Amino acid sequence: MSQKSVVKPFVEVLSGRRQKVPPVWMMRQAGRYLPEYRELRAKAGSFLDLCFTPEYAAEVTLQPIRRFNFDAAIIFSDILVIPYALGRSVRFEAGEGPRLDPLDTPEHVAALARHADFGKLEPVYEALRRVKRELAPEIALIGFCGAPWTVATYMVAGQGTPDQAPARMMAYRHPEAFAEIIDVLVENSIQYLLGQLKAGADCLQIFDTWAGVLPPREFERWSVEPAKRIVAGVRAQVPDAKIIGFPRGAGALLPAYVEATGVNAVSIDWAAEPSMIRERVQNRVAVQGNLDPLVLIAGGDALDRAVDDVLANYAQERLIFNLGHGIQPETPIAHVEQMLKRVRGWKG
């Protein structure tokens, strides 16, 4: 059987075809809850060395597939590789997260490079090619980028903050300068995603982790519009590109996001209101989510009930089973196995 004729359940859902058993993967599935990841992370040295050594990045991407046989692998990388390729200093401090040189004034923004050096991202493309060669043909490969708003919040503040106030303040005080950052990120993210498709990604996800801190008018300007431009820019070159949006915390603004952006699926967090999602989102696109990562740590009957709730709420239509955000490092592997058994044994 040729690879082209093999059905990938994950891609089927994105293409408009509901699967009887929803395909499953987990955000951050390649990561610290796995001992084999921790071992390779120690060997690699720095986090960026892990991301930019194709042999390591490919291995880390494949580890959860070998262990759990998820329906999709997501390339191991980071949302801040675009600032890195734009020449910004990007470092990861142990236990403290990313550190960048802050882009916190219009003068600093004026000095921002407009075009990324995509040679710096060649290791990501090479890791994608390696994973594609290793992956069973029925398992999908996901490429991704950070949404411009979320990436900009780190670029402006130089680090993560509790509510990303520095970027919000800059967008209010200096909207033209902030729009320049967004424009640079939109154009370079389009090229980055196209490169990932060329290297073998079956579909793409745009992570807007900090979308939920924006009021409706700002959400439209800084989350929806950039995502819409990225989707259009990618599809101008690859018309049938499959793209998932994840505006975390968008809540009641999700239907407008889906309608405006043209994404094939939207990932929802665990606080999403089921009837609104079914009636105003899932009637248009596939839904991905939305198990609370904390109930995956808790396990037991609570986990079974939570898995059943997700399935009861969404599995009658197109669903990709996932978490409402990334898996936590302290999650027991046995609980992931419990979740998978429950989802794959579903008789809906």
Side-chain angles (χ1 to χ4, degrees), residues 46-98:
S46 78
F47 178 77
L48 281 179
D49 285 337
L50 187 59
C51 288
F52 287 131
T53 305
E55 176 190 351
Y56 292 165
E59 171 60 23
V60 166
T61 302
L62 290 163
Q63 284 172 349
I65 304 302
R66 293 195 197 105
R67 190 184 269 272
F68 303 114
N69 198 35
F70 288 121
D71 293 287
I74 185 164
I75 193 64
F76 184 78
S77 186
D78 192 81
I79 64 168
L80 296 180
V81 296
I82 291 285
Y84 171 79
L86 286 165
R88 308 300 298 174
S89 169
V90 179
R91 346 179 256 294
F92 287 84
E93 309 284 347
E96 294 183 16

Side-chain angles (χ1 to χ4, degrees), residues 51-52 75 77 81 121-129 192 196:
C51 288
F52 287 131
I75 193 64
S77 186
V81 296
L121 302 183
E122 175 55 34
V124 179
Y125 302 144
E126 174 58 23
L128 278 157
R129 290 189 287 268
Y192 179 46
Q196 292 183 67

